Amino acid sequence: MTNNSTASYVVETFDAELFLKEYWQQKPVVLKNFFSQFEDPIDENDLAGLAQEEDIDARVVSNVNGRWSVTQGPIKRFEKACKGCWTLLVQGVDKYVPDVAPLLYPFDFIPNWRLDDLMVSFAVRGAGVGAHIDQYDVFLIQGKGKRRWRVGAPGEYVEVFPHEKLRQIDGFQAVIDVEVEAGDVIYVPPGWPHEGQTLEDSLTYSVGYRAPDNLQLAESLAMMLDRGINNVRYTDPSRASQAFPAHVNHLDVSALKQQLIDVVNSDDFTLALLEAMSEQGIPEYPLEPEITLEQVANEFAAGISFIPATGVRPLISCGESGLPQALFVNGSQFNFQDEDREWFEVLGKGSILNATCCEEAPSFAFLETLTTLLNNGYWEWLEE
Ligand code: SIN
Ligand code: CO
């Protein structure tokens, strides 16, 4: 993705291949000094500002003398919410703060569609959200301050709810017990219990992933069928006469299953899946007034540069192995032809886009897509 931030994060020794082979989805690992010369791209005041916004998912978890409470955002009265040992947690910061984007670059060996969001938390000394288990992979990047993290092995743990909005477990045996400081990273796979205790006021950046379960996949299928796409009905024109009507014929059950298998294997469902995989819940800020294709063509010819809006992570499928040739952005599909491939790849990479990016001049179809992306607020003008 485009780096418009002045901050740079140097990762010298991380071996992504080794990490995938040994740890990803298998076991946790502490990556000491993952980022050298770490500088926080945001501070607690910025976080507090975000937590006041209506559309941003934020909460404060606090513990006063052993009593837990949770205040769901938008947070209006910090002095009331932030009592005792408290943590302010803000989801989806990558969608609102361009300066956090470089934190995600070292993890780009995992495809865009698996990444969910960047959550940022600020915790005061003594605070933490308690021992808990997440369903998703997470890289916990330590910013300023110091925390002690304990991580345990997967197992049967008793869930407790010390507050209706706080899911914890009643303890675990640590297999990792480590003190982290700015630039250190801990990878925690889904299902591994963990708990952070704050030793010095701390910022923690959680790079969180997503993995759809069958219900979510079935929801994508149901949404497509609900739009009337490929919603075929069961037929049985070669039915043989049956002696006992209560008897269920295994061939009928197989035919019903096959009906569903066929729709799952259809190109329509491939598209529905790609749309769902590209869905990021990016808030839409449509351009007002709308820009015309002619204006975009003129600006492009004049050497103006464009970039994806904050947090936009496009997907691209290049027409191989039954996949369509299309760009997907936040649930929308943009088909392209072979001659435009290079231009669409620039969009897919999220790089700075201008007339010098490719040798061939852009086609009308490409400029049309760029116009739509600008009008939807998914791409914008690069401010020099
Ligand atoms: C935190 O930032 O304190 C919580 C992160 C986590 O455990 O997932
Ligand atoms: Co967690």
Side-chain angles (χ1 to χ4, degrees):
M1 295 292 291
T2 326
N3 182 353
N4 301 311
S5 165
T6 48
S8 67
Y9 296 91
V10 185
V11 176
E12 276 155 12
T13 51
F14 179 66
D15 182 339
E17 296 302 326
L18 184 74
F19 170 79
L20 288 173
K21 190 163 164 268
E22 301 282 331
Y23 301 104
W24 176 253
Q25 294 250 309
Q26 300 161 62
K27 51 181 189 264
V29 60
V30 181
L31 304 162
K32 280 297 264 180
N33 209 13
F34 182 90
F35 293 97
S36 33
Q37 302 126 31
F38 189 88
E39 269 178 57
D40 289 286
I42 189 170
D43 66 18
E44 55 272 35
N45 296 313
D46 302 320
L47 265 195
L50 293 171
Q52 292 170 52
E53 299 286 335
E54 290 291 332
D55 301 334
I56 298 184
D57 184 5
R59 66 194 194 283
V60 173
V61 176
S62 73
N63 185 314
V64 182
N65 300 326
R67 280 196 57 177
W68 291 93
S69 65
V70 178
T71 310
Q72 199 66 43
I75 314 285
K76 301 289 180 207
R77 294 176 55 200
F78 283 91
E79 70 291 355
K80 190 159 176 264
C82 302
K83 292 234 171 81
C85 296
W86 57 270
T87 309
L88 166 63
L89 305 106
V90 182
Q91 293 289 152
V93 174
D94 53 312
K95 298 185 184 77
Y96 305 99
V97 181
D99 286 351
V100 302
L103 287 183
L104 302 173
Y105 300 157
F107 306 105
D108 68 1
F109 59 95
I110 307 285
N112 281 354
W113 78 266
R114 279 287 261 125
L115 182 57
D116 188 13
D117 76 338
L118 181 78
M119 180 185 81
V120 186
S121 70
F122 174 72
V124 296
R125 195 158 77 92
V129 298
H132 65 279
I133 296 176
D134 296 318
Q135 299 307 314
Y136 305 101
D137 308 83
V138 66
F139 290 100
L140 299 160
I141 305 170
Q142 176 68 24
K144 72 173 178 185
K146 281 198 181 123
R147 287 186 110 176
R148 174 184 174 197
W149 280 97
R150 295 171 59 253
V151 184
E156 297 289 318
Y157 293 100
V158 179
E159 269 196 344
V160 289
F161 290 83
H163 179 279
E164 55 175 355
K165 290 186 182 140
L166 197 58
R167 185 192 291 264
Q168 295 181 343
I169 53 169
D170 70 351
F172 62 87
Q173 196 86 45
V175 292
I176 287 178
D177 189 339
V178 68
E179 211 176 291
V180 291
E181 51 196 0
D184 295 342
V185 171
I186 303 179
Y187 164 70
V188 183
W192 290 68
H194 52 284
E195 178 175 22
Q197 287 164 0
T198 312
L199 307 173
E200 277 172 16
D201 291 6
S202 274
L203 281 164
T204 305
Y205 304 83
S206 302
V207 182
Y209 290 82
R210 58 179 174 178
D213 62 14
N214 280 343
L215 179 61
Q216 287 165 317
L217 294 178
E219 277 163 2
S220 293
L221 180 64
M223 268 161 57
M224 177 191 94
L225 299 173
D226 198 44
R227 281 190 273 151
I229 300 169
N230 217 329
N231 192 15
V232 295
R233 193 176 290 281
Y234 175 75
T235 59
D236 52 359
S238 3
R239 177 161 295 289
S241 143
Q242 198 166 304
F244 180 38
H247 185 130
V248 175
N249 185 330
H250 72 97
L251 293 174
D252 287 353
V253 175
S254 298
L256 287 169
K257 283 192 174 183
Q258 191 59 47
Q259 180 176 325
L260 209 47
I261 290 167
D262 289 345
V263 74
V264 166
N265 284 331
S266 71
D267 290 346
D268 293 322
F269 186 55
T270 303
L271 279 185
L273 263 189
L274 286 162
E275 283 170 7
M277 287 162 74
S278 74
E279 180 58 69
Q280 288 186 262
I282 296 271
E284 286 205 14
Y285 298 115
L287 203 60
E288 273 189 50
E290 286 208 340
I291 189 162
T292 64
L293 173 62
E294 199 186 355
Q295 285 168 310
V296 172
N298 288 340
E299 289 191 356
F300 209 77
I304 303 279
S305 295
F306 305 90
I307 47 159
T310 305
V312 168
R313 290 185 287 272
L315 307 184
I316 191 152
S317 74
C318 288
E320 284 149 15
S321 312
L323 294 183
Q325 190 156 277
L327 175 83
F328 293 85
V329 182
N330 203 31
S332 299
Q333 180 197 348
F334 302 90
N335 291 328
F336 63 88
Q337 302 298 318
D338 272 341
E339 60 266 27
D340 282 332
R341 175 186 296 252
E342 246 193 296
W343 283 106
F344 272 82
E345 276 172 2
V346 179
L347 291 177
K349 281 187 195 131
S351 322
I352 294 174
L353 170 76
N354 60 37
T356 65
C357 287
C358 306
E359 266 179 38
E360 297 291 318
S363 73
F364 179 82
F366 171 77
L367 291 172
E368 218 171 24
T369 298
L370 179 58
T371 307
T372 308
L373 291 170
L374 288 165
N375 281 324
N376 289 350
Y378 295 150
W379 250 255
E380 56 194 30
W381 285 261
L382 175 67
E383 284 168 28
E384 298 294 346

